[in-house]
């Protein structure tokens, strides 16, 4: 007796997600995420306003020592957006996972790359607004003394925010609750914060810690900000630092797409 292989039905072929990155699907995903965020004013306020408020607080903490603010203000201008984007992105993405939204989207002809790129685009738009507001506040209202161009500060702050977005998308795959997502902050962000050179030059650290700091992206974010702080022109070190931060963001986004999967089959 001969058997024939079953032919795929329309429903089975349409349920398999496509793999090619498509601009229209990516844009549609970004628009959907932004529409959801529009109904969450507290999240919007945290994303856009919180880094500026923290910089304002820091400026008047060092009210009697403007030079201290100049020394660490540029570094924190890159660190604050990274932290806030990481926290909000990881929680927002986890909500979509636990609510079943991602499950339904992955059942559609929507590639994993489209989904991750759409989230990155949506939060990237917010990161542009966040970084521009924080940079303008620090330079023109709080008097941050910058030797280089403020536009270069904005560039590094934006890359840092995008890196935070990528890290948040990535770690959300390993959390099953919002509490677990928050728990990733001490594991992912705090070591980078301690070793990035904010509190002491990395060259003054124990050699083992200095070697670890050399592979952490936040170290290059701080180094890039310091290059703008002390040099009038674009230096080779600045180009290297910004490229490393950008490459790390793209790498983590790729890993995020690789870990994106349906929980049910």
């Amino acid at each position: 007796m001969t058997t024939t292989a079953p032919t795929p039905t329309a429903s089975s072929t349409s349920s398999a997600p496509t793999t090619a990155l498509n601009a229209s699907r990516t844009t549609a995903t970004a628009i959907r995420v932004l529409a959801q965020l529009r109904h969450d004013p507290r999240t919007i306020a945290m994303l856009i306003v919180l880094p500026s408020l923290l910089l304002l607080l820091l400026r008047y903490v060092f009210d009697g020592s403007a030079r201290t603010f100049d020394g660490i203000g540029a570094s924190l201008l890159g660190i604050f957006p990274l932290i806030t984007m990481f926290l909000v992105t990881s929680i927002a993405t986890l909500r979509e996972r636990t609510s079943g939204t991602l499950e339904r989207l992955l059942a559609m002809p929507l590639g994993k790359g489209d989904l991750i790129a759409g989230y990155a685009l949506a939060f990237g738009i917010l990161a542009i607004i966040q970084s521009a507001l924080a940079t303008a506040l620090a330079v023109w209202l709080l008097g941050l003394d910058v030797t280089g161009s403020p536009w270069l500060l904005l560039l590094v702050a934006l890359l840092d925010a995008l890196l935070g977005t990528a890290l948040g998308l990535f770690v959300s795959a390993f959390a099953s609750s919002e509490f677990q997502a928050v728990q990733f902050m001490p594991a992912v962000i705090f070591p980078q914060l301690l070793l990035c050179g904010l509190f002491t030059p990395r060259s003054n650290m124990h050699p083992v810690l200095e070697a670890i700091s050399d592979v952490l992206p936040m170290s290059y974010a701080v180094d890039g900000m310091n290059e703008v702080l002390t040099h009038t022109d674009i230096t080779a070190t600045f180009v290297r630092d910004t490229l490393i931060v950008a490459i790390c963001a793209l790498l983590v986004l790729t890993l995020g797409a690789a870990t994106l999967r349906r929980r049910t089959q």
Side-chain angles (χ1 to χ4, degrees), residues 179-202:
F179 178 69
Q180 288 185 1
V182 174
Q183 285 180 316
F184 275 106
M185 179 170 283
V188 176
I189 299 298
F190 286 0
Q192 297 192 67
L193 185 62
L194 293 175
L195 299 178
C196 68
L198 176 65
F199 301 105
T200 186
R202 293 193 289 128

Side-chain angles (χ1 to χ4, degrees), residues 91-233:
I91 292 177
T93 309
L94 180 64
R95 286 178 181 174
E96 299 232 309
R97 290 179 185 271
T98 56
S99 66
T101 301
L102 286 180
E103 187 81 2
R104 293 190 294 271
L105 289 173
L106 290 175
M108 300 170 60
L110 181 70
K112 294 180 179 180
D114 296 321
L115 200 58
I116 290 294
Y119 276 87
L121 178 60
F123 284 104
I125 292 172
L126 294 175
I128 292 174
I129 301 172
Q130 177 198 77
S131 301
L133 182 62
T135 302
L137 176 71
V139 175
W140 288 297
L141 293 181
L142 300 183
L144 180 66
D145 187 13
V146 179
T147 302
S149 171
W151 293 105
L152 297 179
L153 283 183
L154 175 60
L155 173 62
V156 181
L158 177 58
L159 289 175
D160 294 343
L162 293 176
L163 176 61
T165 298
L167 289 171
L169 289 170
F170 176 65
V171 303
S172 68
F174 305 98
S176 58
S177 67
E178 293 183 14
F179 178 69
Q180 288 185 1
V182 174
Q183 285 180 316
F184 275 106
M185 179 170 283
V188 176
I189 299 298
F190 286 0
Q192 297 192 67
L193 185 62
L194 293 175
L195 299 178
C196 68
L198 176 65
F199 301 105
T200 186
R202 293 193 289 128
S203 58
N204 293 344
M205 297 179 184
H206 188 280
V208 173
L209 295 181
E210 183 181 1
I212 295 174
S213 73
D214 287 340
V215 299
L216 298 178
M218 191 183 290
S219 299
Y220 298 95
V222 171
D223 288 349
M225 286 294 191
N226 289 333
E227 285 294 304
V228 180
L229 196 67
T230 56
H231 294 82
T232 56
D233 300 322

Side-chain angles (χ1 to χ4, degrees), residues 23-47:
S24 61
R25 292 193 295 261
T26 298
T27 304
T29 301
I31 292 174
R32 181 188 63 81
V33 174
L34 289 173
Q36 290 180 330
L37 288 174
R38 186 181 60 184
H39 301 291
D40 190 354
R42 287 177 297 181
T43 299
I44 294 293
M46 181 175 179
L47 279 173

